[in-house]
Amino acid sequence: MESTTLRMTGRLDPRDGWSAGVSCTIAKSVELLSTRSAFLLMREAFYGATRFEEFVRRAELTEATASARLHELVEHGLLELVPYQEPGQRTRHR
């Protein structure tokens, strides 16, 4: 397997010269994915889970925990609900 080395080029601004504050996307992502359940659900979405039952089974979470975390992930735009039957009947997470 061939490996690749990434190198930063150019000058970086001095770290004390700027502040990410509340707009830091890394901090927001870490905060959202800081729970074990959220991270496991994102892993399962990456591996193709779309149905609620799949998320619960694969991530080995309770239905209540999976439901709460999936709602948070959808609310923050990391996953989306997609109808797969008649509109309003059932949805999938992607």
Side-chain angles (χ1 to χ4, degrees), residues 41-42 44-46 48-52 55 70 73-74 77-84 91-94:
L41 291 168
M42 289 301 294
E44 295 311 325
F46 176 78
T50 58
R51 298 186 59 139
F52 179 75
F55 283 105
L70 286 168
L73 295 171
V74 168
L78 293 174
L79 295 176
E80 64 179 356
L81 290 174
V82 179
Y84 69 94
T91 56
R92 291 187 179 190
H93 293 85
R94 288 197 319 190

Side-chain angles (χ1 to χ4, degrees), residues 15 18-32 76:
R15 178 61 182 105
W18 61 274
S19 173
V22 296
S23 64
C24 179
T25 56
I26 293 173
K28 288 179 183 178
S29 298
V30 169
E31 185 177 325
L32 182 61
H76 288 89

Side-chain angles (χ1 to χ4, degrees), residues 46-82:
F46 176 78
Y47 282 114
T50 58
R51 298 186 59 139
F52 179 75
E53 296 80 17
E54 289 176 307
F55 283 105
V56 170
R57 180 178 46 83
R58 291 180 179 185
E60 298 179 348
L61 300 171
T62 65
E63 289 185 3
T65 300
S67 177
R69 292 298 173 265
L70 286 168
H71 284 291
E72 288 176 6
L73 295 171
V74 168
E75 180 181 317
H76 288 89
L78 293 174
L79 295 176
E80 64 179 356
L81 290 174
V82 179

